Amino acid sequence: MKIARIETFLVPPRWLFCRVETDDGLVGWGEPVVEGRAEVVRSAVDVLSENLIGQDPLRIQDHWQVLTKGGFYRGGPVLSSAVAGLDQALWDIAGQAYGAPVHALLGGPVRDSVRVYAWVGGDEPARLREQITAQVEAGFTAVKMNAAGATSPLTTSAETAAVADRVAVARDVLGPDRDVAVDFHGRFTAAAARRTLAELAPLHPLFVEEPVVPEQSHLLPGLVAASPVPLATGERLYSRAEFLPVLSAGVAVAQPDLSHAGGISEVHRIASLAETYGALLAPHCPLGPIALAASLQIAFATPNFLIQEQSRGIHYNKDADLLSYVVDPEPFRFVAGHALRGDRPGLGVTVDEAAVRAADRTGHAWRNPVWRHADGSFAEW
């Protein structure tokens, strides 16, 4: 069996899919994308595909080595995301070839269901109570919300209070038996984060995500030591090497993204590394169905898994949603806030190829907003 063809598809709302086909007709799907830079990743997939055409798709680990190291210059979001999507597709093919789900190939399941959470925004609090109530009524036991919009370098008393007030609304709706995770999104300086974390502690967040931008990960040891709230990070880290210092700093939750951090192969290794530090895994995934399917395969096979992000109804999904490009929604049917383990081979999801090809004819050019403070200076989004 040889890899015969590799295609990419730019599909709304902001996703990039890749399709890997073998000479005997097996097809694997992956989701290689950097949100806001999808076209650039598409070009990277085209270049990396030169290493795969004509090769045995089942030599996944060897391909991963060549794709990540064979070009001499390594890493970064574009290259590692391109590798991630191709890696997902190769695991999808492997599962089909062996007649087994990917989680079986990773050593077998360690759980029968995976807890997932729903997004409720949070930048603007007007509809927060209504949004959380809807998710509770839908059966979710956890939600995640943004802490704030553009944030001052040193938060004012009003800004700090506003964050706490929004999380208090969430806690009031959720009660003591459900969870709220709070995303700082790298919008806070270390000093502002430290000040705000202390105010959130009585509200018992599940974790606070990205308390500082990833290039300031060297500040995490001080934040971990000062924080009464578990800290999480990792959506903008792309390898075990980049996770090592943040795990050494003592973060409680590692959040690699299956579409950014080298795919199934590397995230499986990141999970094992995190386990040695007593950290839990909560894969980042505000993306499409293939990325979520890959994330769930990891979750079913990872002992130190905590909770899974998913994008159904997320505010980014304007022109398509999680189920827009799948034939059967069953793998993404959530029961009491959990995804149930299935035994379909590969990633376990059947992509609607006709819908994908039709969407690619329109494509997209999604870009994240650029924010500014009141004085006109740049603000972290």
Side-chain angles (χ1 to χ4, degrees):
M1 182 167 58
K2 305 295 182 186
I3 297 171
R5 182 165 58 153
I6 298 175
E7 301 173 90
T8 54
F9 305 91
L10 203 63
V11 299
R14 56 181 192 151
W15 304 332
L16 181 69
F17 295 167
C18 71
R19 178 185 185 275
V20 178
E21 182 179 352
T22 68
D23 57 0
D24 62 355
L26 289 184
V27 173
W29 288 88
E31 194 167 333
V33 68
V34 173
E35 301 93 300
R37 300 292 185 268
E39 305 94 325
V40 183
V41 181
R42 185 178 214 175
S43 295
V45 171
D46 289 344
V47 172
L48 292 176
S49 295
E50 297 171 6
N51 296 288
L52 296 177
I53 298 297
Q55 300 297 312
D56 178 356
L58 300 182
R59 297 188 62 181
I60 298 173
Q61 296 300 340
D62 185 66
H63 294 319
W64 193 92
Q65 297 294 320
V66 172
L67 293 175
T68 58
K69 302 173 183 177
F72 186 73
Y73 295 99
R74 306 177 183 185
V78 171
L79 285 175
S80 60
S81 297
V83 172
L86 291 166
D87 183 82
Q88 292 169 20
L90 294 179
W91 279 100
D92 195 17
I93 288 172
Q96 295 172 56
Y98 294 124
V102 168
H103 63 73
L105 304 184
L106 294 174
V110 296
R111 59 181 49 82
D112 297 321
S113 65
V114 165
R115 190 185 187 200
V116 299
Y117 64 79
W119 258 97
V120 293
D123 289 46
E124 300 300 333
R127 295 183 56 228
L128 190 56
R129 184 176 294 275
E130 173 189 341
Q131 290 171 339
I132 297 175
T133 299
Q135 299 299 351
V136 170
E137 291 175 349
F140 289 97
T141 63
V143 299
K144 189 168 81 175
M145 57 183 284
N146 280 321
T151 304
S152 300
L154 287 175
T155 48
T156 65
S157 175
E159 286 176 319
T160 305
V163 175
D165 288 347
R166 285 193 287 273
V167 179
V169 169
R171 176 54 64 206
D172 183 55
V173 177
L174 294 166
D177 297 321
R178 300 183 184 90
D179 285 310
V180 57
V182 182
D183 192 354
F184 279 21
H185 216 257
R187 296 171 183 170
F188 289 64
T189 62
R194 188 178 293 108
R195 173 179 281 171
T196 308
L197 286 165
E199 297 299 316
L200 296 184
L203 299 168
H204 206 84
L206 180 64
F207 56 76
V208 163
E209 179 175 335
E210 269 202 329
V212 291
V213 290
E215 56 266 35
Q216 293 179 351
S217 293
H218 59 283
L219 301 177
L220 284 172
L223 280 174
V224 169
S227 176
V229 178
L231 299 184
T233 196
E235 70 183 74
R236 290 186 276 182
L237 303 176
Y238 311 115
S239 67
R240 285 162 287 164
E242 292 184 348
F243 270 92
L244 181 58
V246 303
L247 291 168
S248 299
V251 297
V253 182
Q255 298 177 294
D257 188 306
L258 271 287
S259 283
H260 300 327
I264 291 169
S265 295
E266 184 70 348
V267 171
H268 189 234
R269 293 185 284 257
I270 290 168
S272 295
L273 177 65
E275 188 177 15
T276 67
Y277 284 90
L280 301 171
L281 192 79
H284 179 257
C285 190
L287 295 169
I290 305 168
L292 179 57
S295 298
L296 291 174
Q297 296 297 327
I298 285 284
F300 286 122
T302 298
N304 55 320
F305 169 81
L306 175 65
I307 198 167
Q308 178 61 55
E309 182 172 27
Q310 55 84 30
S311 72
R312 194 166 183 177
I314 199 170
H315 46 289
Y316 299 119
N317 295 353
K318 303 295 186 184
D319 302 312
D321 208 347
L322 183 65
L323 305 180
S324 297
Y325 303 110
V326 297
V327 173
D328 182 1
E330 182 63 21
F332 307 121
R333 182 172 66 90
F334 304 133
V335 178
H338 288 70
L340 305 181
R341 179 168 57 84
D343 293 318
R344 299 180 183 187
L347 295 181
V349 63
T350 303
V351 173
D352 186 341
E353 188 169 324
V356 169
R357 291 186 182 278
D360 181 59
R361 288 193 286 270
T362 301
H364 69 82
W366 187 87
R367 302 288 184 264
N368 62 260
V370 175
W371 283 358
R372 295 192 178 275
H373 293 296
D375 65 0
S377 61
F378 175 80
E380 290 286 347
W381 170 67

